Structure formats: C-alpha cells, structure tokens
C-alpha cells in the first residue's frame, strides 16, 4: 500500500531527524574548540582577548544552530504521518506535496548550516528519502 510505505518513510526521516538532533547538541562546543585552536595557531605569541574570543565562538555556534529547523522538520513529519493515517477519505496529494516541499527546505537549511560530517550525512539521507516521497506523492489522489 502506497500510504503505508509513505508512513514508513516518514518514520525513517523522523529517526534521521533524531540523529541530527543528537549531533547538533555537540556542535557549539566543537565550534568553540576549533575557533580557539585556529586563532591560537594564527596569533602565535599574541594575547587573545578571552571576552572577544567567547563572543566570536558564540556567534559561530549560533549560526550553526539547527534547533528551529529540527522542530519544524519534526512537526512537518508528524503532520505527514497524521495525514497519511487519517481515516477520512480526503485527498492527500496536495497537502503531502506541500509538506514535502517544507521538509526539503528545512533539510537544505540544516545541511547548509552544518559543518558536522554526521549531520551532513543524515541530512543527505533525509534529502534522498524526501525525493523518494516526492515521487510517490505524485501518485496520491
């Protein structure tokens, strides 16, 4: 059944979202460590202002934060599952098409914000699943 397959794909994407969330929590610390390491090697012998360093690290960590995207992505996936498992006989093709576009948008944003290899891998797997769903949604009424 096409709907059952789409529900399974949605659940797989939710698992990928959880994986991204697990890795995303570690990113700010790694960003800070990388920045300090790089600046120390560039500034050899120069005193670095700890307050300025902390400010820059916070700025970079904020730019790589994908929390909002993950929240929206999870909401879109939950809505997709709700639509696909609803017992009403409403047509779902258009609604699913819209959700697939939103899922694709959030996944692209996560991928572009992240410098973490595991997040990028999960985002690419998510994009692959999204494309498969997009193709199947075209067959829904």
């Amino acid at each position: 059944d096409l709907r059952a397959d789409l529900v399974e794909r949605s659940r797989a994407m939710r698992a990928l979202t959880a994986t991204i969330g697990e890795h995303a929590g570690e990113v700010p610390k790694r960003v800070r460590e990388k920045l300090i390491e790089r600046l120390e090697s560039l500034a050899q012998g120069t005193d670095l202002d700890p307050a300025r360093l902390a400010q820059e690290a916070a700025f970079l960590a904020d730019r790589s934060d994908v929390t909002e995207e993950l929240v929206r992505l999870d909401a879109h996936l939950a809505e997709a599952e709700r639509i696909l498992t609803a017992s009403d006989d409403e047509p779902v093709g258009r609604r699913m098409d819209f959700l697939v576009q939103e899922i694709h948008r959030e996944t692209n944003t996560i991928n572009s914000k992240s410098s973490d290899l595991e997040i990028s891998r999960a985002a690419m797997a998510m994009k692959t699943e999204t494309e498969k769903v997009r193709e199947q949604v075209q067959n829904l009424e």
Side-chain angles (χ1 to χ4, degrees):
D1 173 58
L2 186 56
R3 282 187 183 214
D5 183 60
L6 289 170
V7 168
E8 285 306 309
R9 289 190 186 281
S10 177
R11 290 181 180 149
M13 289 191 287
R14 285 183 96 175
L16 289 167
T17 301
T19 299
I20 292 170
E22 290 169 11
H23 289 281
E26 303 166 7
V27 169
K29 179 183 174 193
R30 278 188 274 146
V31 164
R32 184 178 188 283
E33 289 170 354
K34 244 176 153 174
L35 177 66
I36 291 170
E37 193 176 288
R38 185 158 184 219
L39 288 175
E40 285 177 347
S41 78
L42 291 172
Q44 295 173 350
T46 306
D47 287 333
L48 297 174
D49 177 14
R52 177 69 179 168
L53 187 58
Q55 184 181 25
E56 290 298 321
F59 174 72
L60 286 174
D62 186 54
R63 281 186 42 201
S64 62
D65 183 19
V66 295
T67 304
E68 289 178 31
E69 289 80 7
L70 288 172
V71 168
R72 284 191 297 268
L73 194 52
D74 196 51
H76 295 323
L77 291 166
E79 179 64 8
E81 285 180 40
R82 189 195 67 71
I83 289 170
L84 292 166
T85 58
S87 58
D88 62 15
D89 287 328
E90 291 287 316
V92 299
R94 274 200 152 147
R95 291 184 287 168
M96 283 299 297
D97 191 48
F98 172 76
L99 284 171
V100 168
Q101 288 176 15
E102 293 301 308
I103 291 165
H104 186 71
R105 181 177 294 121
E106 299 301 342
T107 304
N108 279 339
T109 303
I110 289 169
N111 201 26
S112 67
K113 280 184 163 186
S114 178
S115 59
D116 181 84
L117 181 60
E118 292 305 315
I119 291 175
S120 294
R121 283 182 180 155
M124 292 307 294
M126 185 81 124
K127 286 176 77 165
T128 300
E129 284 299 313
T130 304
E131 284 304 313
K132 290 175 184 175
V133 169
R134 181 188 312 262
E135 290 171 13
Q136 290 181 334
V137 163
Q138 303 303 315
N139 297 317
L140 288 175
E141 295 178 22

